[in-house]
Every structure is written in C-alpha cells, then in structure tokens.
C-alpha cells in the first residue's frame, strides 16, 4: 500500500463573505512530525430556498515531494508558510 497517513487540521474559523459565500481551509499534516503535506480549501455558496451549501470551487496545494508544486507555489510556501 502507498497509503500516506495524515492528521486533518482546521487552522482557522470559517470565513464568511457578505455575498452568501464562505471559505473553509483544512491542512493535512504528518501525524508524527507535523510537516505540512497539503492544504485544501473550499469556497461554498449557500443555495437560496433550502439553505444547502454547494461547492463553488476547490483549491488544493500539495507540498509532498512526489507532487511538487510549481515555482509560484514554492515561493508562496517559502515566504508565507
């Protein structure tokens, strides 16, 4: 099995925009070292009528060596991460 173990973290609260959308970020971290493996974030849009939350778009940044991000992502992680 090539299954990699991870812990799921929610580093902050859900961010609510004023237009009916919210932003949710999660981090996948190594269970022993805490090394950041990936960041997943969702923009959700609340549907009128029943109030269900629908996925508007997904952002995924993978920091594992086997899935190295492009130069722009590496710079973002180095400067801001």
């Amino acid at each position: 099995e090539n299954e990699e173990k991870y812990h799921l973290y929610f580093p902050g609260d859900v961010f609510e925009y004023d237009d009916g959308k919210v932003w949710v970020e999660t981090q996948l971290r190594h269970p022993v070292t805490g090394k950041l493996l990936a960041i997943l974030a969702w923009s959700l849009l609340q549907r009128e009528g029943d109030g269900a939350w629908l996925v508007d778009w997904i952002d995924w940044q993978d920091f594992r060596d086997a899935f190295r991000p492009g130069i722009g992502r590496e710079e973002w992680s180095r400067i801001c991460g």
Side-chain angles (χ1 to χ4, degrees), residues 27-48:
Q27 296 180 354
L28 299 147
R29 292 190 171 269
H30 188 277
V32 176
T33 67
K35 179 181 177 185
L36 181 62
L37 304 173
I39 296 174
L40 294 89
W42 293 269
S43 176
L44 304 174
L45 176 62
Q46 194 166 26
R47 182 169 55 197
E48 290 185 29

Side-chain angles (χ1 to χ4, degrees), residues 19-77:
D19 62 357
K21 292 183 181 180
V22 298
W23 175 260
V24 180
E25 180 183 324
T26 61
Q27 296 180 354
L28 299 147
R29 292 190 171 269
H30 188 277
V32 176
T33 67
K35 179 181 177 185
L36 181 62
L37 304 173
I39 296 174
L40 294 89
W42 293 269
S43 176
L44 304 174
L45 176 62
Q46 194 166 26
R47 182 169 55 197
E48 290 185 29
D50 64 0
W53 288 100
L54 306 174
V55 175
D56 186 38
W57 58 272
I58 298 172
D59 187 34
W60 170 278
Q61 299 171 18
D62 201 323
F63 300 104
R64 296 174 292 174
D65 290 337
F67 302 96
R68 285 185 60 120
I71 292 171
R73 296 289 194 186
E74 289 174 355
E75 282 301 304
W76 178 87
S77 176

